[in-house]
């Protein structure tokens, strides 16, 4: 078996191949003249044409303005650092942002003729992954806070409107389940367009439990324009549709086998107008007073979250609800 060659016997071109394969860019820094000498890979990393030397000021022109002073201070401080050091910063190559890690040995260790040595590494992929994880963690925290806030509000509403603990538990569970169905439907759109669900799909999923109860099957019809509903607005839409459907099951068209429900939409300037039309149910009368907590939940959801209003028409044929929402707000 051939004995492995000693390091001193390695060929210089083989070492260069290993360095290139590892994506390591070599640099030398003269602490007196402030000039850098780099290999070809180093110049390519910085988006510069190769030259014998380059000044720190020339490199600084490519450093992200928010990092420039920090990088200068870090390089100046390296001579006082004990042991190895690493500094991460951003550079700008036209419209592209790259992350660079500068690594070396501090305290003038290995300095030769007033020149210190180190390497640059392109760590853009790692930094982008870290940023993605941070964004995901922040988004998860934001969603959890929103869900806790919604759950708290729904608990308060259910506690006031329910006449027993069992009724409160049932109402709260149904409302939270409706929110869950809405959020399950919201998916990221391609091309970084955000999260959205088609309005028709959202309504169909939310109303599916009411359309799947034996004799009720096929009595619900949804015919709305093709448009996206954002993640935040999906919560409000889910609450509104759930409350209307629940009331219809208790007192309206969905409480009778002959009852039907039609949902359609119209465009009116900056608004989307949704019409909820019940037919074939029992005679309905306009409620006295301001309505219960369910009605207040509807009003609050429509006005504060959807930027619109909700109107009721207690006709002889059945309830007609007109839901007016800002198109721009629905996309959020």
């Amino acid at each position: 078996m051939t004995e492995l060659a000693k390091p001193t016997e390695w060929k210089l071109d083989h070492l260069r191949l290993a360095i290139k394969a590892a994506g390591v860019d070599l640099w030398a820094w003269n602490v007196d003249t402030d000039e850098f000498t780099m290999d070809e890979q180093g110049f390519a990393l910085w988006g510069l044409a190769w030259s014998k030397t380059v000044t720190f000021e020339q490199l600084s022109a490519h450093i992200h303005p928010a990092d420039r002073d920090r990088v200068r201070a870090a390089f100046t401080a390296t001579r006082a650092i004990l042991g190895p050091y690493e500094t991460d910063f951003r550079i700008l190559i036209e419209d592209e942002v790259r992350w660079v890690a500068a690594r070396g040995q501090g305290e003038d260790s290995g300095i030769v003729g007033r020149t210190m040595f180190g390497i640059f590494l392109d760590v853009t992929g790692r930094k982008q992954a870290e940023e993605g994880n941070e964004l995901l963690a922040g988004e998860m925290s934001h969603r959890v806070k929103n869900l806790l806030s919604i759950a708290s509000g729904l608990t308060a509403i259910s506690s006031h409107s329910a006449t027993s603990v069992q009724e409160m538990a049932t109402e709260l569970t149904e409302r939270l389940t409706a929110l869950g169905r809405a959020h399950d439907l919201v998916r990221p759109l391609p091309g970084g367009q955000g999260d959205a669900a088609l309005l028709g799909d959202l309504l169909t999923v939310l109303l599916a439990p009411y359309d799947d109860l034996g004799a009720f099957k096929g009595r619900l019809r949804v015919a709305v324009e093709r448009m996206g509903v954002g993640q935040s607005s999906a919560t409000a839409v889910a609450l509104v549709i759930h409350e209307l459907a629940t009331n219809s099951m208790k007192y309206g068209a969905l409480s009778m086998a002959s009852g039907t429900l039609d949902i359609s939409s119209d465009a009116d300037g900056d608004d989307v107008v949704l019409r909820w039309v019940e037919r074939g149910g029992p005679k309905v009368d306009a409620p006295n007073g301001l309505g219960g907590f369910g009605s207040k939940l509807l009003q609050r959801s429509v006005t504060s979250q959807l930027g619109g209003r909700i109107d009721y028409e207690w006709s002889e044929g059945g309830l007609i609800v007109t839901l007016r929402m800002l198109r721009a707000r629905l996309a959020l």
Side-chain angles (χ1 to χ4, degrees), residues 132-316:
N133 289 336
E134 290 175 359
L135 287 173
L136 179 60
E139 176 66 14
M140 288 299 295
S141 176
H142 177 69
R143 291 191 186 190
V144 169
K145 289 180 180 178
N146 281 347
L147 288 174
L148 290 175
S149 176
I150 291 170
S152 177
L154 291 180
T155 301
I157 290 172
S158 299
S159 66
H160 285 89
S161 59
T163 58
S164 67
V165 174
Q166 182 60 42
E167 184 179 350
M168 173 184 167
T170 300
E171 289 184 1
L172 183 58
T173 300
E174 289 175 350
R175 284 165 173 160
L176 291 175
T177 300
L179 295 184
R181 290 197 298 269
H183 280 282
D184 282 343
L185 191 62
V186 177
R187 294 288 184 269
L189 293 176
Q193 300 177 61
D195 295 340
L198 291 176
L199 177 60
D201 291 345
L202 180 61
L203 295 176
T204 300
V205 168
L206 290 171
L207 291 170
Y210 306 96
D211 195 31
D212 222 9
L213 301 177
F216 292 169
K217 189 171 181 61
R219 298 191 296 120
L220 307 184
R221 293 183 288 271
V222 177
V224 296
E225 71 170 277
R226 185 180 178 85
M227 64 167 296
V229 178
Q231 189 177 81
S232 298
S233 295
T235 300
V237 172
L239 286 174
V240 171
I241 297 302
H242 169 72
E243 293 299 321
L244 290 175
T246 299
N247 289 338
S248 182
M249 282 286 295
K250 290 180 179 179
Y251 318 111
L254 296 184
S255 67
M256 299 182 64
S258 59
T260 62
L261 170 62
D262 286 278
I263 303 177
S264 60
S265 71
D266 293 306
D268 186 9
D270 296 331
D271 294 340
V272 174
V273 181
L274 205 67
R275 286 174 56 83
W276 172 288
V277 180
E278 297 184 22
R279 290 291 181 261
K283 181 182 178 181
V284 293
D285 297 315
N288 297 322
L290 298 177
F293 283 90
S295 298
K296 293 179 181 178
L297 174 64
L298 286 176
Q299 292 289 350
R300 184 166 57 190
S301 298
V302 174
T303 56
S304 64
Q305 293 181 267
L306 300 176
R309 71 172 190 266
I310 185 168
D311 297 310
Y312 300 88
E313 180 182 342
W314 307 92
S315 67
E316 291 186 4

Side-chain angles (χ1 to χ4, degrees), residues 7-41:
T8 54
E9 298 174 352
W10 291 353
K11 293 182 179 180
L12 184 58
D13 57 344
H14 290 174
L15 291 175
R16 287 172 177 162
L17 287 174
I19 291 171
K20 184 176 181 180
V24 176
D25 307 330
L26 307 178
W27 56 261
W29 174 38
N30 188 299
V31 298
D32 293 330
T33 65
D34 218 20
E35 289 182 331
F36 274 83
T37 301
M38 298 189 295
D39 59 9
E40 292 184 4
Q41 284 191 149

Side-chain angles (χ1 to χ4, degrees), residues 49-117:
W50 186 89
S51 62
K52 187 176 181 180
T53 61
V54 62
T55 66
F56 185 84
E57 291 306 318
Q58 288 174 309
L59 291 181
S60 293
H62 292 269
I63 298 176
H64 194 288
D67 296 344
R68 195 168 295 155
D69 291 341
R70 177 175 61 81
V71 173
R72 162 58 78 179
F75 267 88
T76 302
T78 55
R79 299 187 63 189
I81 294 175
L82 298 177
Y85 65 85
E86 179 175 352
T87 303
D88 294 351
F89 55 91
R90 291 163 293 179
I91 62 175
L92 301 175
I93 311 300
E94 296 181 352
D95 295 332
E96 180 186 359
V97 178
R98 296 177 186 171
W99 275 95
V100 174
R103 298 177 181 177
Q105 195 76 17
E107 200 189 13
D108 286 353
S109 177
I111 192 168
V112 178
R114 309 299 293 165
T115 299
M116 298 182 69
F117 300 89

